[in-house]
Amino acid sequence: MAKNGVVIHYLRTAMKKEIVLSGIRPTGFLHLGNYFGAMRNYVRMQDEYDCYFFVANWHSLTTHPDTKTLQESVLRVVAENIACGLDPEKVSLYVQSDVPEIAELYLYLNMLAYKGELEKTTTFKDKVRMQPENVNAGLLTYPVLQAADILIHRAVKVPVGKDQEQNLEMARNFAERFNHRYGETFPLPYAFNYNSELVKIMGLDGIGKMSKSENQMTTLFLADEDDMIRLKVKKAKTDSGPLAPNSAKPDYIQNLFTLMGLVSSADTVKKFEDDFNNSSEGNCIIRYGDMKKQLAEDMVNFINPIRTKALDLQNNKELLLKIIRQGADKARTSASATLSTVRKAVGMEYL
Ligand code: ADP
Ligand code: TRP
């Protein structure tokens, strides 16, 4: 009997799914970069892993102190995640501020984070440049709060875009420091993408990364109307075409091919690749106008169902509130178990 018990325990441990966590800040409308850098992986991971996904509303206060539209944005992010295929019955989908355990872990981790290393992070330096009038302590300790988000569930895989690599490295450093000082408590988390390479989707001008706050005309939002998508794609930068067969593609052209690779059929991509490679001076086969028309229609077909489903969900606030309540319950069960271990390790339990 005892032997059976041991075997069952062993099997349970061996079968235990790895823990996955990721978050998105509710600082605007979600776009194609969020989808291909993060959400597409969330959806694929939900069957294989024990998943926690959340809306980082505390993080958004570091750059967006005005909270008039915050709740609306939080619910929209939840709706858009579900519209992209997340199943709230399979994962825990919650709002950061509904899990106060994260804030306590953030406090302990803050004692292990040094001013010098925080000041050196790229995102902090960028934000200082962007908002010199509001260099708050929350901005400085942003990576510490992010580490608390991850470690509170003892997550090991964190599906994020390439821009988050440094924050993940810092989370590992804080976890290692905690383990070293207070005893082995946290596994080390890593940024994750199915194709091993982290993704970076560029804006339609091929210059900066597509982002919620950069140039709105070069970002394709999941909430964009069909005609707006057509207009944005039409305005994407092109040139008069290659002058020799198999030329190197300029960044902005490569970007159109990359986007096409994400939403169009393989045959379509191949046709335009062939046209590009077989073009030569006086015989430019590729017609960028046609390519952009095709890309626009495929984009519309991709985004339209997500936008429609997200809008339906946003009209059902009761359902969204029920989902985040349920998500918070699941998340707090996991978070409070970790926090209890952490409190003991740090010496906060008097028993
Ligand atoms: P934004 O940069 O637009 O404000 P967030 O910082 O909230 O978006 O990012 C949410 C998730 O989407 C993160 O995992 C981030 O790495 C990913 N992401 C954001 N923009 C891109 C992009 N252009 N390409 C790939 N992934 C991205
Ligand atoms: N910093 C992330 C971003 O800007 C959002 C985020 C907050 C996050 N906490 C996280 C991502 C924890 C992954 C894990 O995109």
Side-chain angles (χ1 to χ4, degrees):
M1 185 64 196
K3 213 171 167 190
N4 269 348
V6 171
V7 171
I8 288 168
H9 174 76
Y10 174 77
L11 283 177
R12 280 216 182 108
T13 318
M15 277 163 33
K16 213 166 164 237
K17 292 181 180 172
E18 273 188 310
I19 299 171
V20 165
L21 170 130
S22 194
I24 297 186
R25 296 191 314 145
T27 49
F29 287 79
L30 297 189
H31 52 80
L32 224 56
N34 297 132
Y35 181 84
F36 287 107
M39 282 139 75
R40 177 174 61 168
N41 284 333
Y42 299 0
V43 174
R44 284 180 65 181
M45 293 178 103
Q46 65 185 338
D47 292 311
E48 257 177 87
Y49 298 96
D50 189 3
C51 293
Y52 296 87
F53 298 117
F54 74 100
V55 188
N57 58 345
W58 280 336
H59 274 110
S60 73
L61 295 177
T62 62
T63 50
H64 293 63
D66 182 351
T67 55
K68 269 199 286 303
T69 57
L70 183 59
Q71 292 201 1
E72 187 190 317
S73 297
V74 167
L75 293 183
R76 190 179 55 245
V77 172
V78 172
E80 286 180 326
N81 271 279
I82 299 170
C84 287
L86 264 199
D87 180 349
E89 294 300 322
K90 288 186 188 159
V91 307
S92 158
L93 183 55
Y94 63 96
V95 181
Q96 190 178 31
S97 60
D98 287 340
V99 183
E101 289 79 5
I102 300 167
E104 187 173 335
L105 180 56
Y106 169 53
L107 183 147
Y108 299 129
L109 295 177
N110 265 322
M111 315 302 171
L112 301 169
Y114 300 106
K115 178 172 162 276
E117 63 183 336
L118 295 171
E119 278 170 345
K120 265 193 267 161
T121 54
T122 323
T123 38
F124 178 69
K125 287 195 284 191
D126 286 348
K127 299 281 161 61
V128 171
R129 231 174 288 127
M130 272 149 62
Q131 51 179 67
E133 74 300 338
N134 182 18
V135 183
N136 59 76
L139 203 56
L140 183 68
T141 57
Y142 185 112
V144 188
L145 181 56
Q146 181 157 346
D149 293 329
I150 300 168
L151 301 178
I152 199 75
H153 300 300
R154 315 177 86 252
V156 291
K157 285 198 166 72
V158 184
V160 281
K162 190 155 180 52
D163 59 321
Q164 293 299 308
E165 239 169 355
Q166 192 178 30
N167 282 343
L168 262 294
E169 190 187 326
M170 297 187 76
R172 283 194 296 281
N173 288 341
F174 302 144
E176 267 181 329
R177 257 174 239 166
F178 188 102
N179 289 345
H180 185 68
R181 189 165 299 173
Y182 300 114
E184 204 58 33
T185 306
F186 298 116
L188 301 186
Y190 285 87
F192 177 85
N193 185 54
Y194 273 101
N195 306 318
S196 70
E197 281 281 295
L198 296 182
V199 175
K200 181 175 177 184
I201 305 290
M202 305 301 283
L204 284 167
D205 55 3
I207 300 176
K209 76 161 192 152
M210 216 177 251
S211 123
K212 293 192 202 104
S213 43
E214 298 297 309
N215 185 352
Q216 309 272 301
M217 280 312 280
T218 60
T219 296
L220 288 166
F221 293 102
L222 300 178
D224 276 343
E225 299 277 348
D226 295 353
D227 280 342
M228 179 54 85
I229 298 169
R230 292 189 182 102
L231 179 70
K232 287 181 177 176
V233 175
K234 190 173 169 196
K235 282 185 172 297
K237 179 175 173 181
T238 52
D239 51 31
S240 51
L243 300 177
N246 300 311
S247 302
K249 298 189 182 90
D251 287 351
Y252 48 91
I253 298 294
Q254 177 54 53
N255 191 40
L256 293 181
F257 275 98
T258 305
L259 292 173
M260 197 168 230
L262 295 171
V263 297
S264 305
S265 72
D267 286 351
T268 304
V269 180
K270 184 170 182 320
K271 177 204 163 348
F272 289 103
E273 282 284 358
D274 288 348
D275 285 357
F276 182 91
N277 289 327
N278 292 319
S279 290
S280 58
E281 195 160 10
N283 184 28
C284 181
I285 301 174
I286 187 152
R287 298 274 168 265
Y288 288 133
D290 292 349
M291 181 181 176
K292 288 200 283 185
K293 257 191 209 136
Q294 180 69 49
L295 177 59
E297 289 318 305
D298 292 338
M299 229 12 124
V300 165
N301 286 334
F302 181 80
I303 291 178
N304 179 305
I306 297 178
R307 182 188 70 229
T308 313
K309 181 151 192 224
L311 281 177
D312 276 356
L313 281 161
Q314 283 172 85
N315 288 328
N316 193 346
K317 195 170 167 187
E318 271 312 300
L319 177 64
L320 290 176
L321 293 178
K322 189 174 148 232
I323 287 169
I324 58 174
R325 247 179 263 127
Q326 186 181 312
D329 284 348
K330 276 197 232 169
R332 290 197 74 180
T333 305
S334 150
S336 56
T338 306
L339 193 58
S340 150
T341 313
V342 167
R343 288 176 135 255
K344 278 189 204 106
V346 181
M348 298 293 142
E349 300 271 303
Y350 294 88
L351 278 181

